[in-house]
Amino acid sequence: MSRRTSRTHRARTQEFPLSRIITTALPAHGHVSPLLAISADLATRGHEVVFLGGSRFAGAAERAGVRFVALPAEADWDDRDLDAFFPGRASLPPGPERIAFDVQHVFLDPIPHQYRALLALLEEFPADAVIADAFVQGALPLALSRPRAERPALIGIGLTPAMLPSVDTAPFGLALPPLPGEEGRARNRALQEEMDRRGEPLRRHAEKVFAGVGVRLPEGPRGQAQVTVPDEYLQLTVPGFEYPRSDAPATYRLIGALPGLVGDERPLPGWWDEVTDERPVVVVTQGTLANTDLGELVAPTVRALADRDDLLVVAATARPDGPQRLAELLGGSLPGNVRVAGYVPFDRLLPHTDVLVSNGGYGGVQTALRYGVPLVVAGASEDKPEVAARVEWAGVGLDLRTDRPAPEAVGRAVDRVLGEGRFRERARALGAEFAEYRPFDTIAELVESL
């Protein structure tokens, strides 16, 4: 099956029968949005789709045109306040301890509840396929418990940088780019052995959780089963933005990034015409979730580039009180070259953007690259260091290696990315690569071939 397709929707609907499909994601905005986009696309093609997810996303599922079923309460946390749902988390500093806590309590412990919810849904909605966010590990027992002929196909969707262990890559989480040759493989083996040793308590916990639902977790490093157990694993990126793995299974495929949201009905800000003038435009954002403290990245960027007549700086805060809050952080007023918005349609802003300063959200970074925009990345939580490492490895920007950069560091990085044409050249080349892929068509082809 081709990773790229030019077949029309009409041809597909004539050629294949319609399918019943369950889609599911963790109850977090960054996980739900891609799965609902996939759900909506499949629904427009005539497939019957049910989305299993967090209760606060019921309205979003309805707007996507699909039926909604809520996860059970034990698996229905709120990503906007994880500390409230998981007692003890707030006392742990960011870093290995908190990551281990999240793996155990946020990702592993809900597995039995996710699995039972899927089984209950399949009883009344016998689906042909389950398309699951790779972090919904409660979908894995579907494939581990019975032969393929006795169950729906399981398709995993990779929404973060690939976690698949490989002889060619350092273990996920270390944010180390590939090192070529035998030297690199030796490094990777040693690091993987050390990670396996440190991760043994979590491995034992995972085995216990899976045994509790009657299945055995396959041997191998933690994270491998997420990719190797599904019948197909579709990573939402392109080869130019993901480390090569010579030992990847045939079921692991890179299918391109999903298109960004378009058609936002919010009115454009009054200063919009300025983004099309002669000055280079620098956009800064902390994304839609990690924007509680705009002093992490937005304020330092604004301070770094304040009152420079040669630049227009757009601060996209992704919160309704963002403009007011940013002004307060800056002493009550904004520099003359800065424009601030709560929400702004990125599909319209990015074509006019010369540099994006970002905290490293996977989807946001790839959206920028789809438009050929180079980056300055400053992120230190979740998968953001891995995203930032890939930005430098791909030659499309700079990694500041912190989530609270000094204004001087941001200013130097922005000037480098603007001044050295190689970053823009590589970003545009990667944008052309993204344009070659049709991920919605690839997913639909896979579903329709079942």
Side-chain angles (χ1 to χ4, degrees), residues 211-227:
V213 296
V215 299
R216 182 175 180 178
L217 190 65
E219 296 293 330
R222 187 173 59 82
Q224 182 168 288
Q226 290 174 257
V227 178

Side-chain angles (χ1 to χ4, degrees), residues 105-156:
H105 298 288
V106 180
F107 301 129
L108 292 178
D109 288 348
I111 284 173
H113 310 292
Q114 295 165 349
Y115 179 47
R116 292 178 187 125
L118 280 167
L119 291 180
L121 181 53
L122 284 166
E123 282 292 318
E124 56 100 356
F125 185 76
D128 301 292
V130 173
I131 302 177
D133 160 16
F135 284 88
V136 180
Q137 296 182 68
L140 300 183
L142 289 174
L144 293 170
S145 62
R146 65 201 77 177
R148 170 67 186 89
E150 299 176 12
R151 60 171 174 82
L154 177 59
I155 301 169

Side-chain angles (χ1 to χ4, degrees), residues 323-335:
Q324 176 185 346
R325 181 59 186 143
L326 180 59
E328 292 171 354
L329 287 172
L330 298 173
S333 62
L334 296 172

Side-chain angles (χ1 to χ4, degrees), residues 9-369:
H9 169 54
R10 177 178 297 177
R12 283 193 301 271
T13 54
Q14 290 176 346
E15 193 172 335
F16 297 100
L18 301 183
S19 301
R20 285 184 162 191
I21 304 161
I22 294 172
T23 58
T24 185
L26 290 185
H29 181 272
H31 292 249
V32 168
S33 292
L35 267 294
L36 279 184
I38 292 169
S39 304
D41 180 76
L42 291 170
T44 63
R45 297 170 189 258
H47 301 290
E48 189 176 358
V49 183
V50 176
F51 177 72
L52 175 66
S55 55
R56 76 181 180 95
F57 298 102
E62 181 181 357
R63 291 189 294 274
V66 300
R67 178 184 156 203
F68 172 80
V69 173
L71 285 164
E74 298 88 345
D76 190 4
W77 38 264
D78 191 326
D79 62 317
R80 296 169 298 183
D81 192 2
L82 287 177
D83 294 344
F85 279 75
F86 299 99
R89 185 179 188 272
S91 65
L92 299 174
E97 283 187 86
R98 183 176 290 184
I99 290 172
F101 180 96
D102 287 348
V103 170
Q104 177 174 340
H105 298 288
V106 180
F107 301 129
L108 292 178
D109 288 348
I111 284 173
H113 310 292
Q114 295 165 349
Y115 179 47
R116 292 178 187 125
L118 280 167
L119 291 180
L121 181 53
L122 284 166
E123 282 292 318
E124 56 100 356
F125 185 76
D128 301 292
V130 173
I131 302 177
D133 160 16
F135 284 88
V136 180
Q137 296 182 68
L140 300 183
L142 289 174
L144 293 170
S145 62
R146 65 201 77 177
R148 170 67 186 89
E150 299 176 12
R151 60 171 174 82
L154 177 59
I155 301 169
I157 303 293
L159 305 174
T160 66
M163 300 178 66
L164 178 65
S166 170
V167 297
D168 301 314
T169 64
F172 185 88
L174 299 181
L176 291 174
L179 183 64
E182 184 51 39
E183 178 186 0
R185 291 192 169 206
R187 179 202 71 172
N188 299 336
R189 286 193 295 269
L191 290 173
Q192 189 64 62
E193 289 173 3
E194 176 65 13
M195 291 288 282
D196 290 346
R197 183 185 66 79
R198 293 185 179 185
E200 184 58 27
L202 283 174
R203 171 77 189 187
R204 290 196 299 269
H205 184 75
E207 290 173 346
K208 181 179 179 180
V209 169
F210 279 91
V213 296
V215 299
R216 182 175 180 178
L217 190 65
E219 296 293 330
R222 187 173 59 82
Q224 182 168 288
Q226 290 174 257
V227 178
T228 58
V229 169
D231 302 294
E232 296 282 346
Y233 188 89
L234 309 179
Q235 182 69 36
L236 294 180
T237 193
V238 297
F241 198 64
E242 184 51 69
Y243 305 147
R245 292 167 168 80
S246 61
D247 51 353
T251 53
Y252 166 84
R253 291 191 290 158
L254 311 185
I255 66 166
L258 298 180
L261 296 177
V262 298
D264 197 313
E265 298 301 323
R266 294 187 183 94
L268 296 173
W271 45 259
W272 186 257
D273 288 346
E274 295 182 67
V275 303
T276 61
D277 67 16
E278 297 300 319
R279 289 184 292 179
V281 176
V282 178
V283 176
V284 58
T285 181
Q286 290 179 206
T288 57
L289 183 61
N291 57 12
T292 303
D293 181 5
L294 297 177
E296 290 182 352
L297 182 58
V298 174
T301 301
V302 170
R303 290 190 179 103
L305 306 175
D307 295 318
R308 284 183 51 171
D309 293 336
D310 61 323
L311 298 176
L312 178 68
V313 180
V314 176
T317 64
R319 46 186 288 183
D321 64 343
Q324 176 185 346
R325 181 59 186 143
L326 180 59
E328 292 171 354
L329 287 172
L330 298 173
S333 62
L334 296 172
N337 67 330
V338 174
R339 305 294 179 265
V340 186
Y343 300 93
V344 60
F346 269 77
D347 62 298
R348 300 186 64 176
L349 179 59
L350 286 171
H352 304 290
T353 301
D354 294 273
V355 179
L356 176 67
V357 182
S358 163
N359 64 346
Y362 193 54
V365 165
Q366 293 199 107
T367 298
L369 292 173

Side-chain angles (χ1 to χ4, degrees), residues 392-439:
E392 283 212 341
W393 171 78
V396 296
L398 296 173
D399 175 9
L400 297 183
R401 293 175 173 80
T402 177
D403 60 350
R404 285 186 173 272
E408 296 78 12
V410 179
R412 287 193 298 269
V414 168
D415 283 339
R416 274 194 65 191
V417 173
L418 284 172
E420 299 179 25
R422 61 189 178 96
F423 295 108
R424 168 67 75 173
E425 182 179 343
R426 278 295 303 143
R428 286 177 174 169
L430 207 51
E433 185 177 355
F434 276 104
E436 294 178 359
Y437 286 74
R438 299 290 183 269

